Amino acid sequence: PRVELAWAMKAHQHAEVYFNLISSVDPKFLNLTKVDDQIYSEFRKTFRDLKIDLLDPEDLKSEPAKEKWRPFCLRFEGVVEDFNYGTLLRLDCRQGYTEENTIFGG
């Protein structure tokens, strides 16, 4: 439980920073890592039909989804710092971080 709480706290801090960034800079001009293009390309190869503007928790948390997410994340071990940390995701990209609109992916 302590490890999960520490991850959740770090994810919350990251979410605040990233939300401030994407709220103040046009995201198409924003690079968060040197390998953003590679990550997105691999993401779209693996999750071709995943709708990202309105996320379904089943696409993230179900057992079949986890079987796809684990190998995807492991591709970036040694490439992206903290590649396996959890993150807070907004289910609906048009809304902010609220209890109803946020899911923890870890």
Side-chain angles (χ1 to χ4, degrees), residues 38-47 72 75-76:
Q38 177 189 354
I39 294 169
Y40 186 72
S41 176
E42 292 293 322
F43 170 77
R44 275 298 166 209
K45 285 179 193 172
T46 304
F47 303 99
F72 171 78
R75 286 184 219 161
F76 299 101

Side-chain angles (χ1 to χ4, degrees), residues 54-95:
L54 192 59
L55 293 171
D56 179 348
E58 282 297 304
D59 291 336
L60 306 171
K61 298 275 187 171
S62 69
E63 282 307 313
K66 288 179 183 180
E67 290 175 16
K68 289 179 86 173
W69 280 106
R70 279 187 201 107
F72 171 78
C73 291
L74 287 173
R75 286 184 219 161
F76 299 101
E77 184 174 13
V79 177
V80 175
E81 185 179 343
D82 300 335
F83 77 98
N84 64 341
Y85 273 21
T87 189
L88 293 177
L89 298 168
R90 292 176 294 144
L91 296 172
D92 184 338
C93 72
R94 297 166 294 186
Q95 298 178 29

Side-chain angles (χ1 to χ4, degrees), residues 92-105:
D92 184 338
C93 72
R94 297 166 294 186
Q95 298 178 29
Y97 286 99
T98 63
E99 188 174 337
E100 301 79 27
N101 192 47
T102 304
I103 189 169
F104 181 75

